[in-house]
Amino acid sequence: MTVYDELVGQEPVIEQLRAAAAAGAEALAGTGGGGMTHAWLFTGPPGSGRSVAARAFAAALLCPDQGCGHCASCHQVLSGSHADVEVVRPAGLSYGVRETRELVLRAASSPTGGRWRIVLFEDADRSTEQAANALLKAIEEPPARTVWLLCAPSPDDLVVTIRSRCRLVTLRTPPARAVAEVLVLREGIDPDVAAAAARAAQGHVGRAKRLATDEQARRRRAEVLAVPGRLSGVGPAVEAAEALVKAAEAEAKELGASLDAEETAAMRQALGESAKGRMPRGTAGALKELEDRQKSRTTRMKRDALDRALLDLASYYRDLLVVQLGAGVDLVNADRERELRSVSGPPEATLRRLEAIMVCRERLGANVNPQLAVEAMAMALRTG
């Protein structure tokens, strides 16, 4: 067992991180010639394991044996309880300059364990322009024992001044076979179910696990894949778009409700809530700030859920294009092969429909109203 066991299909990355952890140990011992890189950028498509790789690397840097996976330090890092590792997860659609400045101040403190002070910044691409500028100053001149681990889908998602100062770690989409093996060996899932879930998740390990174990997740995906067959007219297209948006809202509400309740209860207790539920004076502002953060997170979760649905929809048309062109590659939705072969139309129309889905994703990323963006996409899918 090592800290890298959770990385699926990422052997080159594991080798790179092991070499870097060894260099870090040499830097601490004063025997390394090249020194330690203090800023790293982990990139890769959704589900490739960017944050998993960054957390494993943090554990390896803090472990006396460079990532054994069983010492107290490794367990603390992997469980998120190590005092020298701060994990930043932007709760809303963006991460502001005020939070970044506070983070930079905390990152400048000395490590309590005598090795490294590590900041693992998930979704660093959500930083605002002002936040990125504040972050740049910290990366340009980091304290001797501070290491920044940034995660983003691609290098282009960060400003060039930041990415040029980071050492790049590029993860790939794990092969479906490797994902299926993980589900079978670690989760005890039936091999056929694991294989189908791995194909449907398109390399996203976490999503593959949900699809293999959650009937509701499978049902939601099946409803998305049924959309192309419902676009028989303008009215049905608008209804299909509304259903997609409402399903994303319901999923986000379901995921966020328990988080909101736990956070609110913890905040009220920390602020001194009485046994009768009364709050001390002067606490309304803190509760309002928490409520605003939760609303922002729910919005982000809604858009993330909608984006997952659009990717599932794109997989349908991708498979249709494979069938139309007679390409010798596996289908993502192999269970729908008969249906796909019965669909008429030229490949050019399928390409236009794929483009319409990608345009919708771009519009959602630019904060266009989700209902309007999805309705426009549904109309384009109907006409081809």
Side-chain angles (χ1 to χ4, degrees), residues 11 20 33 61 70 78-79 84 86 95 108 121 127 150 189 194 200 208 227-228 273 285 288 306 320 330 341 345 360:
E11 287 74 16
L61 288 175
H70 53 75
L78 297 178
S79 65
D84 288 330
E86 178 165 357
Y95 195 77
F121 195 163
S127 300
L150 311 180
I189 295 171
V227 166
E273 181 181 22
K288 180 64 169 60
L306 190 53
L320 179 58
D330 293 336
R341 294 192 180 281
C360 183

Side-chain angles (χ1 to χ4, degrees), residues 57-192:
F57 184 43
L61 288 175
L62 295 173
C63 173
D65 297 319
Q66 301 171 30
C68 65
H70 53 75
C71 69
S73 177
C74 286
H75 282 301
Q76 289 169 359
V77 175
L78 297 178
S79 65
S81 60
H82 199 291
D84 288 330
V85 179
E86 178 165 357
V87 179
V88 179
R89 299 185 184 91
L93 295 174
S94 62
Y95 195 77
V97 64
R98 180 175 63 85
E99 296 98 323
T100 302
R101 286 172 178 163
E102 293 173 354
L103 175 64
V104 168
L105 287 175
R106 295 195 300 273
S109 60
S110 299
T112 60
R115 294 181 70 84
W116 304 103
R117 173 75 173 168
I118 299 174
V119 180
L120 198 171
F121 195 163
E122 298 182 6
D123 298 326
D125 53 300
R126 295 186 188 270
S127 300
T128 64
E129 182 178 354
Q130 295 83 356
N133 291 332
L135 183 60
L136 174 61
K137 294 179 181 179
I139 291 177
E140 282 181 326
E141 300 178 1
R145 292 294 183 89
T146 298
V147 179
W148 289 85
L149 308 179
L150 311 180
C151 301
S154 75
D156 293 338
D157 290 317
L158 294 181
V159 295
V160 65
T161 48
I162 288 182
R163 66 174 184 259
S164 65
R165 288 165 173 79
C166 295
R167 188 169 175 182
L168 189 62
V169 180
T170 305
L171 289 87
R172 62 173 182 167
T173 300
R177 182 180 301 175
V179 175
E181 289 178 358
V182 169
L183 295 179
V184 172
L185 296 176
R186 297 182 188 171
E187 308 297 333
I189 295 171
D190 178 79
D192 292 338

Side-chain angles (χ1 to χ4, degrees), residues 313-333 337 340-341 343-355:
L313 191 57
S315 76
Y316 179 93
Y317 288 107
R318 175 264 186 196
D319 285 351
L320 179 58
L321 191 63
V322 168
V323 171
Q324 290 172 333
L325 297 177
V329 296
D330 293 336
L331 299 179
V332 173
N333 305 286
E337 182 174 0
L340 292 166
R341 294 192 180 281
V343 177
S344 60
E348 291 79 8
T350 304
L351 284 171
R352 288 194 292 271
R353 291 183 171 102
L354 280 169
E355 179 63 23

Side-chain angles (χ1 to χ4, degrees), residues 26 53 112-113 210-211 239 317 321 344 355 360 362 372 379:
E26 292 175 355
T112 60
R210 284 196 297 275
L211 289 173
E239 292 174 359
Y317 288 107
L321 191 63
S344 60
E355 179 63 23
C360 183
E362 291 175 2
L372 295 178
M379 294 300 177

Side-chain angles (χ1 to χ4, degrees), residues 192-213:
D192 292 338
V193 174
R199 286 195 305 270
Q202 303 178 64
H204 196 305
V205 180
R207 182 123 198 269
K209 181 179 177 181
R210 284 196 297 275
L211 289 173
T213 59

